[in-house]
Amino acid sequence: AQSVAQPEDQVNVAEGNPLTVKCTYSVSGNPYLFWYVQYPNRGLQFLLKYITGDNLVKGSYGFEAEFNKSQTSFHLKKPSALVSDSALYFCAVRDINGGFKTIFGAGTRLFVKA
Amino acid sequence: EAGVAQSPRYKIIEKRQSVAFWCNPISGHATLYWYQQILGQGPKLLIQFQNNGVVDDSQLPKDRFSAERLKGVDSTLKIQPAKLEDSAVYLCASSPGTSGSISNEQFFGPGTRLTVL
């Protein structure tokens, strides 16, 4: 069965420092991986996705993510954090063997301190 | 481009009452999803439509929840009767293409926050 794990409930980082939000997954087939961000009182917004090809994926707002097949990970990164990046981040996975269902992780709250 | 619209934004009801949520997806999006997001958890898929047909409703509590997407455009999700554990945010999302377009990202509405007392 598909599953997604976000091992950290919260990540704290100082503004200007690099940030990493971790995600690991488990699927039986080839994974399709997504990151979404949720700001207070708003729906989820798509950030980036990995389908195939280059393991480093670039997305919105300067975020990027690295797909690592051997470690079954898809960590979200940004070279220099902004206070406005503070939000709730969700990793999600789909695979053909799981039908068309998207499985979301529990979320990681990112807090960027000025 | 207009986003996914949902109403109401907030709803407070007592247990055993009924409630309905409405969603209007982005124009032209064939696939529509309803998710339940309980506080502190990620969204959980309740039902997925491809046009007006159901693709996946395996996690929908069918004894109390129902959903329809008449004419393949907007959709309603109903709970009858509500239980305390139904308190959550109900998110609607849509994506272009068919359900076979597994690589498509989803576009989410603002959600409806339901409180069951």
Side-chain angles (χ1 to χ4, degrees), chain A residues 2-4 6 34-39 42-46 88-94 101-108, chain B residues 6 33-47 59 88-93 106-111:
Chain A
Q2 303 162 279
S3 66
V4 176
Q6 294 183 242
F34 304 80
W35 276 101
Y36 289 86
V37 59
Q38 188 173 36
Y39 297 101
R42 295 172 66 177
L44 280 73
Q45 296 178 34
F46 168 74
L88 190 54
Y89 291 81
F90 292 95
C91 181
V93 68
R94 306 174 97 176
K101 187 179 303 178
T102 302
I103 303 298
F104 284 85
T108 298
Chain B
Q6 289 187 250
Y33 314 79
W34 282 103
Y35 288 89
Q36 180 191 59
Q37 186 178 15
I38 293 173
L39 187 64
Q41 299 180 18
K44 182 184 83 171
L45 180 69
L46 292 176
I47 190 167
Q59 298 187 108
V89 175
Y90 290 85
L91 296 167
C92 180
Q106 296 170 42
F107 297 80
F108 285 82

Side-chain angles (χ1 to χ4, degrees), chain A residues 34-113:
Chain A
F34 304 80
W35 276 101
Y36 289 86
V37 59
Q38 188 173 36
Y39 297 101
N41 298 315
R42 295 172 66 177
L44 280 73
Q45 296 178 34
F46 168 74
L47 274 181
L48 51 78
K49 64 183 177 182
Y50 172 81
I51 304 303
T52 187
D54 195 346
N55 289 343
L56 185 64
V57 178
K58 294 187 182 297
S60 306
Y61 313 120
F63 284 93
E64 58 189 29
E66 186 169 12
F67 171 65
N68 188 317
K69 187 173 183 177
S70 63
Q71 297 185 6
T72 62
S73 67
F74 189 56
H75 300 331
L76 182 69
K77 299 180 180 183
K78 187 174 183 181
S80 179
L82 299 172
V83 172
S84 57
D85 293 330
S86 298
L88 190 54
Y89 291 81
F90 292 95
C91 181
V93 68
R94 306 174 97 176
D95 83 307
I96 292 291
N97 295 335
F100 304 105
K101 187 179 303 178
T102 302
I103 303 298
F104 284 85
T108 298
R109 186 165 298 281
L110 174 66
F111 180 70
V112 181
K113 183 178 180 181

